[in-house]
């Protein structure tokens, strides 16, 4: 019986908070019937659907981030290693690249990491079919060719997660099933709609996006373009999240998208957030599913 579902939003390293959040749900015997995810939310959600529990996901992710192979990739170099809520990943990226000549070379490429290195980064994802997972799973990506949101509920878990988290400019687009795919956050940062469309009655959303406010003036055209995209994505997400029954925002805004070295601290923030809202989560979980359907129908009528 379709019942309780959770949508996990994108946000790079901030999305590691989803692991801590899911740990608290496990500890309180809150059974998840379906998970939808975007970007890091898709990675954590996909691994949770694969392993069946958050403790295994935490151990797997920490082991991967601390591995020699992962450290050699140098993702942490894209972080300023200081907290500033107003820093875009483009600014971090160009600080790392360095000289103007190197920047010009980078602009002539489709991404910082090439396809071969990107495949190495995602080698840690189990190469299994989504259909074989222990929990129903949906992952969102964006097709550059059509401009449409693409939802995957079957196919290669590794390939789909790579596509869902292909941050433009950092990772190359993924050719898969006649699509040219990039990060799902371009079209659906916290994928709630796919859960309502598939008949799930109680939907909990976890959003780890940074604050919209930015008091710093953009320094160049790329920062202006990124800022415009961020504003558009934020308002689109705010509209889409109206479909959720409960929205929770872990306090991880102080972390940059590439701060994976703070994995344990970010996971702990996810735990804290779940514990702070545990009574609300339990109330939603235990609410009669037919009552939830009635409430959703009434809300839709009011919005017309």
């Amino acid at each position: 019986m379709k019942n309780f579902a959770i949508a996990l939003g994108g946000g790079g390293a901030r999305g590691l908070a989803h692991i801590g959040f899911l740990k608290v749900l496990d500890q309180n015997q809150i059974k998840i019937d379906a998970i939808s995810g975007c970007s890091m939310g898709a990675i954590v959600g996909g691994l949770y659907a694969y392993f069946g529990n958050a403790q295994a996901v935490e151990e797997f992710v920490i082991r991967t981030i601390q591995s020699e192979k992962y450290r050699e990739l140098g993702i942490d170099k894209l972080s300023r290693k200081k907290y500033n809520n107003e820093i875009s990943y483009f600014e971090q990226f160009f600080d790392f690249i360095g000289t103007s000549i190197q920047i010009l070379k980078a602009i002539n490429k489709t991404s910082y990491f090439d396809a071969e290195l990107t495949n190495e980064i995602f080698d840690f994802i189990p190469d299994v079919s989504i259909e074989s997972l222990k929990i129903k799973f949906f992952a969102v990506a964006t097709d550059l060719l059509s401009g449409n949101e693409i939802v995957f509920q079957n196919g290669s878990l590794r390939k789909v997660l790579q596509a869902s988290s292909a941050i433009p400019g950092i990772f190359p687009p993924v050719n898969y099933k006649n699509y040219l795919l990039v990060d799902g956050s371009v079209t659906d940062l916290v994928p709630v709609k796919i859960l309502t469309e598939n008949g799930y009655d109680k939907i909990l959303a976890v959003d780890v996006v940074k604050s919209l406010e930015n008091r710093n003036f953009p320094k160049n055209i790329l920062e202006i373009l990124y800022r415009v995209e961020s504003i558009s994505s934020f308002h689109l997400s705010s509209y889409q999240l109206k479909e959720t029954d409960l929205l929770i925002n872990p306090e991880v805004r102080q972390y940059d998208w590439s701060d994976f070295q703070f994995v344990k601290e970010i996971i702990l923030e996810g735990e804290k957030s779940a514990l702070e809202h545990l009574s609300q989560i339990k109330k939603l979980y235990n609410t009669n599913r037919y009552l939830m359907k009635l409430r959703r129908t009434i809300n839709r009528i009011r919005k017309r």
Side-chain angles (χ1 to χ4, degrees), residues 128-131 137 139 141-146 148-161 163 173-182:
V128 299
S129 67
I130 292 176
E131 304 94 299
F137 177 65
T142 303
D143 180 28
L144 283 179
L145 303 180
S146 67
N148 291 331
E149 172 187 333
I150 308 298
V151 179
F152 292 97
Q153 51 183 310
N154 53 52
S156 164
L157 179 66
R158 179 184 293 173
K159 205 70 177 177
V160 166
L161 296 189
V174 176
N175 282 292
Y176 186 61
K177 292 190 174 183
N178 297 318
Y179 300 117
L180 186 61
L181 300 164
V182 295

Side-chain angles (χ1 to χ4, degrees), residues 53-81:
N53 69 88
Q55 185 63 44
V57 176
E58 179 180 36
E59 293 171 358
F60 179 83
V61 168
I62 291 177
R63 185 167 62 249
T64 300
I65 291 174
Q66 293 179 344
S67 69
E68 186 63 32
K69 181 179 179 180
Y70 183 87
R71 287 199 297 268
E72 288 174 357
L73 296 173
I75 293 179
D76 62 309
K77 294 178 183 177
L78 291 171
S79 170
R80 284 176 175 258
K81 298 189 183 344

Side-chain angles (χ1 to χ4, degrees), residues 91-226:
E91 188 176 351
Q92 299 170 42
F93 173 47
F94 288 127
D95 279 354
F96 173 61
I97 294 297
T99 67
S100 59
I101 293 176
Q102 288 173 312
I103 291 175
L104 289 173
K105 288 181 179 179
I107 289 175
N108 288 326
K109 297 166 60 179
T110 59
S111 60
Y112 171 65
F113 292 111
D114 60 28
E116 183 178 353
L117 194 53
T118 300
N119 289 335
E120 285 189 36
I121 293 173
F122 284 88
D123 271 348
F124 77 95
I125 301 291
D127 192 14
V128 299
S129 67
I130 292 176
E131 304 94 299
S132 70
L133 299 178
K134 298 175 181 177
I135 300 171
K136 183 65 177 177
F137 177 65
F138 305 89
V140 173
T142 303
D143 180 28
L144 283 179
L145 303 180
S146 67
N148 291 331
E149 172 187 333
I150 308 298
V151 179
F152 292 97
Q153 51 183 310
N154 53 52
S156 164
L157 179 66
R158 179 184 293 173
K159 205 70 177 177
V160 166
L161 296 189
Q162 183 175 335
S164 182
S165 53
I167 302 173
I170 303 298
F171 299 114
V174 176
N175 282 292
Y176 186 61
K177 292 190 174 183
N178 297 318
Y179 300 117
L180 186 61
L181 300 164
V182 295
D183 199 306
S185 64
V186 176
T187 48
D188 200 347
L189 187 61
V190 189
V192 170
K193 184 179 178 182
I194 187 61
L195 297 175
T196 60
E197 289 178 342
N198 278 270
Y200 291 95
D201 305 311
K202 308 172 190 179
I203 301 174
L204 167 64
V206 185
D207 186 7
V208 293
V209 68
K210 282 190 174 184
S211 171
L212 180 62
E213 184 178 1
N214 187 335
R215 297 184 180 279
N216 292 340
F217 284 90
K219 299 175 183 177
N220 53 54
I221 189 171
L222 288 173
E223 288 194 9
I224 292 174
L225 292 173
Y226 176 74

